[in-house]
Amino acid sequence: MYSSKSASVTPNIIIHGGCGNIKRQNLPPDAYRAYRASLLVILDSANSKLRQPGAKAIDVATFVVSLLENDTLFNAGHGAVFTRTGTQELEASVMVSRGYRKRGVGVMKLSHVKNPILLAKEMLIRGNEDDGGGAQGHVQLAGESCEQLASEWGLDLVKPSYFWTKKRWAEHRRALGKSTDDATYEKNRQAIDHGHDGSSLGVADGIVTSEPFSNPTWDSKDYLPQGTVGCCVLDSEGVTCVATSTGGITNKLPGRIGDTPTIGAGFWAEEWNVSSGSSSRPYHAASPLTRMLDDCLPSLAGYLRLPSQSEGEAEFTRPSFRAVAMSGTGNGDSFLRLNAVRTAAAIARFASQAPSSLVASSDSHTSLQAAVTAVSGSHGMLQQSAEDRWRKTGEGEGGIIGLEIDGASGSSTVVADFNCGGMFRTWYDADGKPQMMVFKKEYEV
């Protein structure tokens, strides 16, 4: 991909800590303050790293996600949710707009790799070797193959019990109507390191002690995590990177693969050449051929705009670039069905907004914010995909964060939207001040 950095690029960053049925009623002030403090500290650490000469987006994005994986507040790494049988299967991914042969990779079904995001990073970097450093040309790997490579590459490995926290285990058990006492927790935690899971610990452990949730993966009152953690970074070279990690959906079935390690579904980064003339995505008056195609293929009407000039008549302009990076969070099955994040990128790249007058606007491309809102905002594509199951099963819930870069000016825009109760997110505003929010409006402590 050709990229011309026609202006100095100001680095930028946005981070999320997951989304879902988060309400003021289930996020008490103490919990809010804990999330806020953690995210702002991580944002500051990342910014210090990003401002260093030669800092690379991939290093900063994966650094951020590794910190989130180490923080028990978040559904990733140490603090990940449990499967229905009491195990944990971790997933992570990383993708760049340019610079690496594979561009993006996903790893999944991990139970021993301390920081799954660092395994994804290593797999992407080693992809520039002819044999992929042992991963060949693969961009997705699961389970034992991943963990064997992690061992060969010198990454930290841990016992499965490292990822356990009482909070996540209790959420998992309460949803199934099972006991959450300390003795049972310790019994299960010790057994997991010997290859046992909740389904093989004996009949007594499986006794239902309370009314199970009608849906063990989602509840209308409690916040059962089904999201991820993620980070989008732009470095001074104009390269974008997105890194994402998760434990998946609370009480998912073992073996379930979500959107987090699936390229295009839960994450995406790319750049493309555009004219550096008056418009990065020029709108042309409809030609007879365009009108005919619009009549015959109306689904293309919002995407297809054919030039009114012939190639020979077109004025030469110096190419520049646009770039985007996005990380999704929420109900991964819904993201998978829509290929949600790539869909948002495609809207931003290919959909033109016709100006009301051909001389009234100098820029007719669809903004990434508009594209993200179309997919993950209220009444957007994710919500619509749930149909009559909306707010009953957790389907369709989700949010997306991202960065949009204009290569001609070197400027970037932070974007975010979500359709559910809340999404933990942090970024720097236009004045360079750190911001952290959960809901659409400020949380009043």
Side-chain angles (χ1 to χ4, degrees), residues 373-381 383-384 390 417-420 440:
T373 294
V375 174
S376 64
S378 296
H379 308 294
M381 296 171 65
Q383 180 175 335
Q384 292 174 32
W390 175 248
D417 207 348
F418 55 97
N419 61 26
C420 47
K440 301 280 186 177

Side-chain angles (χ1 to χ4, degrees), residues 175-421:
L176 298 176
K178 296 183 179 181
S179 62
T180 60
D181 61 278
D182 291 344
T184 303
Y185 172 73
E186 287 301 327
K187 175 185 176 183
N188 279 259
R189 190 171 182 272
Q190 293 174 19
I192 200 71
D193 290 335
H194 296 91
H196 299 287
D197 60 30
S199 64
S200 61
L201 289 176
V203 176
D205 186 57
I207 295 176
V208 174
T209 59
S210 62
E211 184 68 25
F213 292 5
S214 59
N215 180 350
T217 67
W218 183 86
D219 186 69
S220 61
K221 295 180 180 180
D222 291 341
Y223 168 46
L224 292 182
Q226 60 172 354
T228 63
V229 300
C231 177
C232 299
V233 173
L234 167 68
D235 65 27
S236 61
E237 293 299 316
V239 176
T240 63
C241 177
V242 53
T244 310
S245 182
T246 190
I249 293 177
T250 301
N251 286 323
K252 65 183 180 181
L253 293 177
R256 178 261 188 185
I257 303 299
D259 63 309
T260 292
T262 306
I263 297 175
F267 66 101
W268 188 259
E270 72 170 317
E271 67 175 40
W272 59 93
N273 293 339
V274 295
S275 166
S276 61
S278 62
S279 171
S280 63
R281 183 68 183 170
Y283 178 87
H284 299 277
S287 67
L289 177 58
T290 304
R291 289 192 294 270
M292 180 183 72
L293 287 173
D294 283 356
D295 290 340
C296 297
L297 300 171
S299 63
L300 294 180
Y303 294 87
L304 182 60
R305 291 292 182 265
L306 297 181
S308 58
Q309 295 174 305
S310 69
E311 291 185 7
E313 297 171 328
E315 180 181 354
F316 173 78
T317 56
R318 180 171 54 85
S320 182
F321 72 97
R322 263 181 90 199
V324 298
M326 285 171 284
S327 175
T329 177
N331 184 284
D333 298 303
S334 299
F335 275 78
L336 283 163
R337 288 197 291 263
L338 294 176
N339 203 31
V341 179
R342 170 58 175 137
T343 295
I347 293 172
R349 179 171 180 176
F350 298 114
S352 294
Q353 292 179 336
S356 57
S357 167
L358 292 180
V359 297
S361 173
S362 63
D363 191 359
S364 60
H365 74 260
T366 298
S367 70
L368 185 63
Q369 180 62 71
V372 164
T373 294
V375 174
S376 64
S378 296
H379 308 294
M381 296 171 65
L382 279 169
Q383 180 175 335
Q384 292 174 32
S385 73
E387 299 179 340
D388 60 356
R389 300 177 300 281
W390 175 248
R391 301 299 299 157
K392 297 177 182 177
T393 65
E395 286 183 66
E397 285 190 354
I400 297 174
I401 64 165
L403 290 170
E404 179 176 24
I405 297 86
D406 178 2
S409 66
S411 63
S412 61
T413 304
V414 167
V415 305
D417 207 348
F418 55 97
N419 61 26
C420 47

